[in-house]
Amino acid sequence: MSRAARALAPLLLALSVPAGAAGSAVPAALPAAASAPAGAVPFDPRSTDAAPCGRGLPAPGHAMPDLRPGAGGATLAVRQDGMRLCYVADGIADAPVLRARRGGELVLTLRNEITDPSRIEAAMAPGKLRIANEPVPASPGFYEVQPGMHHAATGATNLHVHGFAVPAVAPQDDVLTVCTDPASGSAGCGRREFTYRWRIPATMPEGLYWYHPHMHGEVQAQMLMGLAGAIVVEGPEHDARARAGVVERVLVVRQTQDQDAGRTPVRSMTAAAQAPAPAHGARAVPGHAIDTAHELLCTSNSGIDQISLNGTPVPVGDAPDESLARLEIDAGTRQYWQLLNAATDAFLSLSLQDERGRALPLQVVARDGSPLTDDAGHLLQPSPTTDALSVPPGGRLEFWAAAPPPGIKAALVTHAIDTGCAGDRLPERRLAVVVARGNAPARVTPAPAPAHAGGVRDAFSGLLARKVDRRRVIALAEYPRPGTDDQTDFYIAERRPGAVLRPYMMGDAPAITVRAGTTEEWVIENWTNELHTFHIHQLHFRVLEIDGQREAAPPLLDVVEVPYATATGLHSREGPVRPGRTRIRMTFPAALAGDIPFHCHLVDHEDNGMMAVLRIEKPGAPPRRAEAAPMAAMHHGQ
Ligand SMILES: [Cu+2]
């Protein structure tokens, strides 16, 4: 659950969302505005002084243009039009799909043209409560809970390349010290633009990655206002598909609203007062348990947040087909779809369904940029599935979609998801209509064989075969923020005796330090009434188990769900509350040494504290400088 970005609600209709700008100055084949309602402003993504983020909404099914920076790089400007922010390349305000090569360098200059940070603040300022929240009282046996605070929006922005196995060191993926200042307002970053040079390892899998701002405290606001885009790393598999004439589609789900206005806490099933933790002997023991008696309760949230597909709003409930993207596949063929969930907190659970609700098979190829492989790197080629495919915020899914049988109108559907009693409402929605074009052969031609049929080895191959050097338990918790701000404080902390729950602040020292080359197993525990996720920069991990269900083929991911807690009853042997648990294994390559953020990818949670830093130390290397200069100074100065 997150707080309302109420100011954004009226924006929705005016909001064009992501989509791409061409590498040339000409927008790539703007779709006919044929399906735009009469009277609507025609879509024009050209960025002008009068309309810095262009005009109108793209028609459903809009394909985002590509930007393929050459060796000299390209420039991506962040511009603002009132409550909208947009990525502009070559004069086109249509967040481009960045395209790069495996083993190549992606050079991009980010230029901050934000003119009015107060609008970002308006999107994130919490509502006021009539009755103040109380702090979580200190109780023997429980971890101390420190309150969070509001970070005022600065209008500074930066880029994170989500999923890239590149070091968290400037000019690569350093989100802790690199930022750019707005055209007016804060000058805490000391620069208006920054040139990123991401050196994509030859072993990094080709596939779907993405970019978004990572200014702690205002990530959600900047993303809701328009900032997120896809990155496709190309290589031999893409080349083979191109040679075979396969149609590829990049599908970006974004979120344009996060409304929790008027939510009213109600009795929580997991908020039963917890019996004091059993003390070992009579002496006082340091805190060793999570207080669930004071956590965020169940909430009644009447709103359903707006999401979009490639820039056009996804309707809720029955809606005419014309309001949806119409994705056509030549009869008897299949297409390669790369789907990014860039929503700020909406989970997806995807199926292709016919009109009677029967699922048609989809063949998954990759998740989170990683082809499905076993630990040795051999490609797994699971059969096409009719199971719903889960894509949490930040996650990606690449799959083959075959043309539906002749005469069948199918829909790409995201199913309703239970996010827990304090989570957001996520009803079933149709994202797109999917139909065959032309007359069908009864059988669909097979997908081309993978170019790397023998397998692919990346920085994380062999992870499961390694000895586990250390095991940790990481807890997720959340409590209403003390005072009259209608806000929640979020926490991620390693459980050890005497641990303190403290929301992340820019400049905080690393919470965990590991030596390069070591391997760890983490159990992420969710002690709250809502679904969370775990994401770590730079690294992919194997998911071993979720709530006791072992993964038969542990997937290699960079973001994973952590189920909500359940009430077990006061007399249960395991206590009144059992946390949701996700068990993962990670290794820390020396090539990725640096300070690596890990956090929940419901970005409001990250903004409000559910983030920490892991330091990978190179063996024998002198310790890195601990302070994170410009941004730390900026935030602490508030
Ligand atoms: Cu979360």
Side-chain angles (χ1 to χ4, degrees):
M1 171 67 60
S2 46
R3 171 227 76 248
R6 294 171 197 82
L8 287 178
L11 239 195
L12 283 177
L13 292 177
L15 202 64
S16 104
V17 207
S24 73
V26 181
L30 294 180
S35 48
V41 180
F43 177 57
D44 179 356
R46 283 174 299 184
S47 176
T48 62
D49 287 345
C53 292
R55 293 184 195 279
L57 282 173
H62 174 65
M64 293 95 63
D66 297 327
L67 178 66
R68 193 186 299 273
T75 294
L76 192 67
V78 176
R79 298 199 73 190
Q80 180 172 21
D81 186 356
M83 291 303 292
R84 292 173 59 188
L85 296 175
C86 51
Y87 285 125
V88 178
D90 288 318
I92 303 300
D94 204 6
V97 176
L98 295 176
R99 289 193 176 260
R101 293 294 297 186
R102 229 183 145 186
E105 190 177 45
L106 177 56
V107 180
L108 192 68
T109 297
L110 178 75
R111 178 160 181 83
N112 189 340
E113 299 287 355
I114 290 173
T115 47
D116 186 0
S118 74
R119 307 306 288 272
I120 302 173
E121 178 64 21
M124 55 188 266
K128 290 293 170 190
L129 300 169
R130 276 179 301 142
I131 300 169
N133 293 319
E134 297 293 329
V136 177
S139 320
F142 293 104
Y143 301 125
E144 179 190 338
V145 178
Q146 294 185 3
M149 56 177 272
H150 180 66
H151 301 248
T154 60
T157 195
N158 61 6
L159 288 177
H160 168 47
V161 282
H162 183 127
F164 270 29
V166 300
V169 177
Q172 299 205 62
D173 191 35
D174 176 352
V175 300
L176 297 177
T177 70
V178 172
C179 62
T180 61
D181 292 318
S184 70
S186 156
C189 307
R191 55 167 93 88
R192 290 283 309 287
E193 60 179 46
F194 183 82
T195 299
Y196 291 94
R197 296 174 182 277
W198 299 294
R199 287 188 288 276
I200 300 170
T203 53
M204 193 175 99
E206 61 180 280
L208 184 60
Y209 299 81
W210 65 295
Y211 61 98
H212 65 84
H214 212 291
M215 289 300 300
H216 185 69
E218 53 197 287
V219 176
Q220 173 179 248
Q222 294 190 12
M223 285 180 63
L224 288 172
M225 291 170 78
L227 299 185
I231 306 175
V232 175
V233 174
E234 298 174 351
E237 303 292 344
H238 165 82
D239 298 346
R241 289 191 294 270
R243 280 195 301 274
V246 167
V247 173
E248 297 184 347
R249 290 183 190 271
V250 174
L251 302 173
V252 178
V253 172
R254 287 204 31 240
Q255 187 170 334
T256 51
Q257 183 186 37
D258 182 23
Q259 49 167 0
D260 302 334
R263 68 190 169 83
T264 315
V266 295
R267 273 282 145 229
S268 164
M269 63 174 185
T270 62
Q274 190 161 1
H280 301 293
R283 65 197 164 81
V285 290
H288 60 272
I290 302 283
D291 180 329
T292 55
H294 298 89
E295 71 184 359
L296 186 72
L297 303 181
C298 293
T299 52
S300 68
N301 177 14
S302 56
I304 294 169
D305 295 329
Q306 177 83 61
I307 60 173
S308 67
L309 177 71
N310 287 9
T312 53
V314 171
V316 177
D318 284 337
D321 289 353
E322 300 71 53
S323 61
L324 298 171
R326 180 182 172 89
L327 306 179
E328 297 186 341
I329 306 176
D330 280 344
T333 71
R334 60 186 84 212
Q335 296 182 349
Y336 190 73
W337 291 3
Q338 299 178 291
L339 185 141
L340 158 65
N341 184 357
T344 51
D345 65 9
F347 291 78
L348 300 174
S349 172
L350 300 169
S351 291
L352 190 60
Q353 280 189 350
D354 68 16
E355 284 178 287
R356 293 165 62 184
R358 286 177 308 204
L360 304 176
L362 295 173
Q363 187 167 3
V364 178
V365 174
R367 293 173 70 185
D368 294 359
S370 296
L372 305 188
T373 56
D374 66 13
D375 194 42
H378 299 123
L379 287 182
L380 302 175
Q381 294 190 53
S383 333
T385 180
T386 52
D387 292 347
L389 301 166
S390 168
V391 189
R396 287 88 71 211
L397 188 70
E398 297 173 64
F399 55 95
W400 290 101
I408 299 290
K409 185 179 73 179
L412 183 63
V413 168
T414 178
H415 299 285
I417 295 170
D418 172 11
T419 65
C421 75
D424 284 353
R425 287 178 62 198
L426 289 173
E428 180 163 305
R429 289 185 251 213
R430 288 195 302 162
L431 298 174
V433 171
V434 181
V435 291
R437 180 171 41 210
N439 281 325
R443 275 177 55 82
V444 169
T445 52
H452 280 124
V456 284
R457 289 190 64 81
D458 63 22
F460 313 110
S461 300
L463 166 59
L464 297 178
R466 288 163 165 268
K467 142 176 137 344
V468 173
D469 297 289
R470 182 157 179 171
R471 293 169 200 275
R472 300 180 198 264
V473 177
I474 308 290
L476 307 179
E478 61 186 49
Y479 303 94
R481 178 169 298 168
T484 55
D485 279 359
D486 183 6
Q487 181 56 279
T488 304
D489 287 326
F490 296 90
Y491 301 86
I492 183 167
E494 182 179 2
R495 293 194 62 180
R496 29 182 187 212
V500 173
L501 301 185
R502 183 174 178 277
Y504 178 78
M505 293 283 288
M506 282 306 293
D508 277 359
I512 293 175
T513 297
V514 298
R515 288 174 65 83
T518 59
T519 298
E520 299 198 355
E521 208 165 284
W522 290 11
V523 174
I524 324 289
E525 292 181 341
N526 179 350
W527 288 88
T528 80
N529 291 313
E530 66 172 314
L531 188 56
H532 290 285
T533 62
F534 175 84
H535 166 57
I536 187 161
H537 293 204
Q538 279 58 62
L539 307 177
H540 278 64
F541 45 79
R542 294 264 179 195
V543 179
L544 305 178
E545 194 174 305
I546 296 181
D547 262 358
Q549 299 284 323
R550 283 175 163 275
E551 296 280 350
L556 189 61
L557 303 179
D558 62 37
V559 57
V560 65
E561 301 160 355
V562 189
Y564 53 81
T566 39
T568 46
L570 283 174
H571 304 291
S572 160
R573 238 169 7 115
E574 50 188 342
V577 173
R578 177 177 59 232
R581 289 189 174 96
T582 294
R583 191 156 61 91
I584 63 172
R585 191 177 294 181
M586 286 187 285
T587 193
F588 310 111
L592 298 175
D595 286 355
I596 295 180
F598 59 96
H599 57 85
C600 179
H601 219 295
L602 282 69
V603 285
D604 173 56
H605 301 182
E606 175 217 318
D607 279 339
N608 286 290
M610 199 175 265
M611 167 161 151
V613 172
L614 167 92
R615 173 170 294 174
I616 302 181
E617 269 180 344
K618 274 191 172 150
R624 283 180 87 226
R625 184 168 62 89
E627 61 285 344
M631 286 163 67
M634 208 157 61
H635 281 293
H636 287 311
Q638 280 157 11

